Amino acid sequence: MINTTATIAGVHFKNPIVMASGTFGFGREYGKLYDVSLLGGISGKGLTLHAKAGNPGVRVYETASGMLNSVGLENPGVEAFLAKELPYWETLDTARIVNLGGNTLADYVLGAQLIQRDADARLLIGKPAVDMIELNISCPNVKEGGIAFGVKTPAALEVVRAVRAATRLPLAVKLSPNAEDIAEMAEMCEAEGADAVSLINTISGMKIDVRRRRSVFHNQYAGLSGPAIKPVALRMVHQVSKRVSIPVIGMGGITSATDIIEFIMAGAAVIQVGTYNFMNLRAGSTLVEELQQFMAEENISSLDEIRGIV
Amino acid sequence: MATVISNERLGDGVYHLVVEGGNGGAMGQFYMLRAWGAYPLLSRPLSIHQVNDSGVDFLYHVVGEGTEILAGLKPGDKLELEGPFGTGFPHVEGKVALVGGGIGIAPLYYCAQELPESDIYLGFSRESFRTEAFRPLAAELTVDVGGHILDSVDFTDYDHIFVCGPHPMLKAAQLKGIAAETAGKRPDVYLSLENRMACGIGACLVCSVSCKDGQRKACADGPVFLAGEVLFHD
């Protein structure tokens, strides 16, 4: 019997395959293509306190082995999410993670309070629908908030501390590869009471339309994801996991079982799959199957045998 | 997996791809196509040109790396088809005009089959293609090369007008719809939008369309929208 499970702050993951925020909606769309309860977890579309229309203009552009996105956190807002999406999440047998962004410190705190209040109310009727909050301080595509909090350590510290005080739900902090020092940032998150760190968010990038002589993106820059960023992500997961004792949720360009194993060997507790969901709409079910096969072939009976081995 | 039956070049960079496979679909819906491994990263959305006995047909224009690979497909080659996706054109009653510009004629062939006796207007900037296939399906067929096909359409003469074509043409059709309404007629003008997509199923929000009631998704809420709902910003 192959054991693919992992636990983060008491949250059980049946396998290490979690769908990354921004690439999976709230799971409903992919749920029409396969049973998303097969997955270890889902990190929902990044939410902000109030609904956000996102960025105008071109929102995606392919690059060599990757893609740039400039969606800009289009989302329905925390309250609409709690009202409309949680009844669906209640039905899922997978770890359910709310990805929370914000424009201001107050937005983050109010958002976390609303989620906590909803979780408390559900506890009374025995219907939990959120297992963890993933704090997004690293979106490169919003002008206010987002990455402004995720690059400078003191600003990040303030957000993590305030949100930690606002919720008792397990808290992961999603870090930016654009941070001045990602390992220091992770250590700070641990010191402030984060239960895990997620890394990496997209890398700030650019594409110029040479005929029009301007960036293809309205905001000039966009977030690079996909296999192109995997070596960078893997290095950062390795680096951070050596420095913190809380679990690391690793992501960046994962498209195969061997990619997953690499991240686990680098020290990740679980991993997230993002851009691959666009390359293969059944990425989740494909990877769950491939991981089992690979572990059987390699005589790995539990991920604990190889976690952080490198 | 679907299999290529034929992939005929119709003109300058325009191809007609017939495949065996897929799950049918309604007029105006699309499939995500992939005939390669990891790269290009994203699959390509192509609208249904027609549903045939054993699969689906597509009409496409080579614009980049993905469609270039599609153009190289030979009979017997395999490709992945996900779909059908999206909300297409409605089944309507009354007098209908189908108006296509360039490769925008692609979804209208299926509409012409489903709504016989429609007036069909096809416009091309340089050379026409597939026009003779439309002829037996049309009450009247108007073809224009080098001009503006919308100039040939009297919007006050129809109950429903389906439009697919380049962005400026869609904006112009929206304005003609408003003008017809001012003149006391109220044609329902439907636009089929072509947006960049990543997932095709409504999860990534890359293909957002600004509408009067907020942001909507070209892939799931569309690609077909009532002209009056869409806000054109540029």
Side-chain angles (χ1 to χ4, degrees), chain A residues 109-306:
Chain A
V109 172
L110 288 169
Q113 282 172 344
L114 284 175
I115 294 161
Q116 181 65 52
R117 196 180 306 160
D118 183 272
D120 289 342
R122 279 165 194 282
L123 204 60
L124 295 174
I125 53 168
K127 276 191 168 177
V130 173
D131 299 296
M132 184 182 283
I133 292 179
E134 180 176 59
L135 193 62
N136 179 3
I137 55 169
S138 46
C139 179
N141 292 328
V142 289
K143 281 181 176 167
E144 297 170 311
I147 201 166
F149 288 112
V151 175
K152 300 277 184 193
T153 307
L157 182 150
E158 206 179 350
V159 180
V160 176
R161 182 177 291 169
V163 172
R164 177 71 289 175
T167 178
R168 296 180 303 283
L169 283 162
L171 181 66
V173 183
K174 188 163 178 178
L175 304 179
S176 168
N178 310 304
E180 287 172 337
D181 181 342
I182 196 166
E184 184 197 32
M185 186 78 91
E187 284 178 325
M188 179 281 296
C189 292
E190 183 175 16
E192 290 300 331
D195 297 294
V197 282
S198 300
L199 57 147
I200 59 176
N201 207 324
T202 56
I203 299 176
S204 181
M206 188 177 191
K207 167 71 190 173
I208 291 172
D209 180 335
V210 294
R211 297 192 193 282
R212 293 183 178 182
R213 303 180 180 198
R214 60 175 173 81
S215 169
V216 301
F217 296 105
H218 184 263
N219 277 0
Q220 303 282 349
Y221 308 138
L224 180 65
S225 65
I229 73 167
K230 202 195 94 187
V232 178
L234 193 63
R235 185 265 293 172
M236 288 184 160
V237 166
H238 185 258
Q239 207 171 22
V240 167
S241 67
K242 302 291 179 207
R243 292 268 290 271
V244 296
S245 54
I246 51 176
V248 172
I249 300 170
M251 76 197 86
I254 291 173
T255 65
S256 66
T258 52
D259 287 347
I260 296 172
I261 295 290
E262 279 193 77
F263 275 82
I264 302 286
M265 286 183 170
V270 298
I271 58 90
Q272 291 187 3
V273 176
T275 302
Y276 187 45
N277 284 307
F278 306 147
M279 300 165 67
N280 173 2
L281 294 178
R282 290 172 178 76
S285 64
T286 307
L287 289 174
V288 167
E289 205 172 301
E290 278 182 8
L291 183 66
Q292 286 278 345
Q293 266 173 25
F294 182 83
M295 289 173 71
E297 280 164 22
E298 291 292 313
N299 285 321
I300 302 167
S301 58
S302 161
L303 292 174
D304 294 338
E305 285 171 26
I306 56 163

Side-chain angles (χ1 to χ4, degrees), chain A residues 56-119:
Chain A
V58 169
R59 288 186 171 190
V60 70
Y61 206 96
E62 281 174 292
T63 68
S65 310
M67 61 170 246
L68 289 158
N69 94 78
S70 180
V71 172
L73 278 184
E74 177 180 338
N75 79 91
V78 171
E79 281 188 275
F81 161 76
L82 293 174
K84 291 182 188 159
E85 302 296 339
L86 286 197
Y88 173 68
W89 276 27
E90 276 173 9
T91 67
L92 301 179
D93 176 23
T94 187
R96 297 147 302 183
I97 303 171
V98 168
N99 181 283
L100 179 66
N103 287 348
T104 64
L105 185 64
D107 279 1
Y108 279 104
V109 172
L110 288 169
Q113 282 172 344
L114 284 175
I115 294 161
Q116 181 65 52
R117 196 180 306 160
D118 183 272

Side-chain angles (χ1 to χ4, degrees), chain A residues 22 24-25 29-30 45 53 58-62 65-67 71 74 227 275 278-279 281-282, chain B residues 34 38-44 82 85 196-199 201-206 208 215 217:
Chain A
F24 210 67
E29 291 82 6
Y30 291 91
K45 170 73 196 145
V58 169
R59 288 186 171 190
V60 70
Y61 206 96
E62 281 174 292
S65 310
M67 61 170 246
V71 172
E74 177 180 338
T275 302
F278 306 147
M279 300 165 67
L281 294 178
R282 290 172 178 76
Chain B
R34 193 173 188 92
Y39 311 105
L41 211 76
L42 302 175
S43 303
R44 297 297 192 259
E82 289 279 10
F85 295 136
R196 283 169 177 271
M197 293 179 185
C199 70
I201 59 172
C204 69
L205 307 188
V206 154
S208 262
Q215 298 291 108
K217 302 165 187 177

Side-chain angles (χ1 to χ4, degrees), chain B residues 129-147:
Chain B
F129 48 85
R130 273 300 265 178
T131 52
E132 289 316 303
F134 278 87
R135 191 174 298 280
L137 303 172
E140 259 194 70
L141 176 71
T142 307
V143 176
D144 179 280
V145 179

Side-chain angles (χ1 to χ4, degrees), chain B residues 13-233:
Chain B
V14 176
Y15 289 78
H16 180 203
L17 172 67
V18 181
V19 305
E20 187 182 285
N23 307 304
M27 51 181 178
Q29 285 193 302
F30 66 94
Y31 276 84
M32 298 297 284
L33 282 80
R34 193 173 188 92
W36 49 85
Y39 311 105
L41 211 76
L42 302 175
S43 303
R44 297 297 192 259
L46 291 186
S47 62
I48 299 171
H49 183 58
Q50 96 173 295
V51 173
N52 61 55
D53 290 342
S54 56
V56 195
D57 289 27
F58 302 97
L59 202 64
Y60 63 95
H61 188 216
V62 175
V63 286
E65 214 181 334
T67 41
E68 212 163 286
I69 296 172
L70 291 181
L73 291 176
K74 303 273 184 294
D77 286 350
K78 301 287 179 191
L79 75 163
E80 289 170 53
L81 281 188
E82 289 279 10
F85 295 136
T87 306
F89 291 104
H91 275 272
V92 292
E93 287 181 5
K95 197 173 179 200
V96 179
L98 306 177
V99 189
I103 202 63
I105 71 167
L108 299 183
Y109 186 69
Y110 194 16
C111 299
Q113 287 179 315
E114 296 283 297
L115 301 168
E117 298 307 309
S118 301
D119 288 346
I120 302 176
Y121 299 85
L122 306 176
F124 303 89
S125 55
R126 286 194 301 277
E127 56 173 346
S128 66
F129 48 85
R130 273 300 265 178
T131 52
E132 289 316 303
F134 278 87
R135 191 174 298 280
L137 303 172
E140 259 194 70
L141 176 71
T142 307
V143 176
D144 179 280
V145 179
H148 296 282
I149 188 67
L150 279 176
D151 294 345
S152 309
V153 189
D154 179 357
F155 273 45
T156 63
D157 204 21
Y158 295 96
D159 300 308
H160 309 279
I161 302 167
F162 293 180
V163 187
C164 185
H167 202 74
M169 179 177 163
L170 298 181
K171 281 201 288 189
Q174 185 188 49
L175 291 176
K176 284 199 75 156
I178 293 167
E181 203 165 313
T182 312
K185 305 285 183 181
R186 285 178 170 264
D188 286 329
V189 180
Y190 290 92
L191 308 178
S192 180
L193 270 56
E194 185 187 57
N195 279 19
R196 283 169 177 271
M197 293 179 185
C199 70
I201 59 172
C204 69
L205 307 188
V206 154
C207 66
S208 262
V209 179
S210 292
C211 288
K212 278 184 179 162
D213 60 351
Q215 298 291 108
R216 301 180 72 188
K217 302 165 187 177
C219 67
D221 301 319
V224 175
F225 293 89
L226 266 171
E229 294 175 1
V230 181
L231 301 174
F232 288 107
H233 292 302

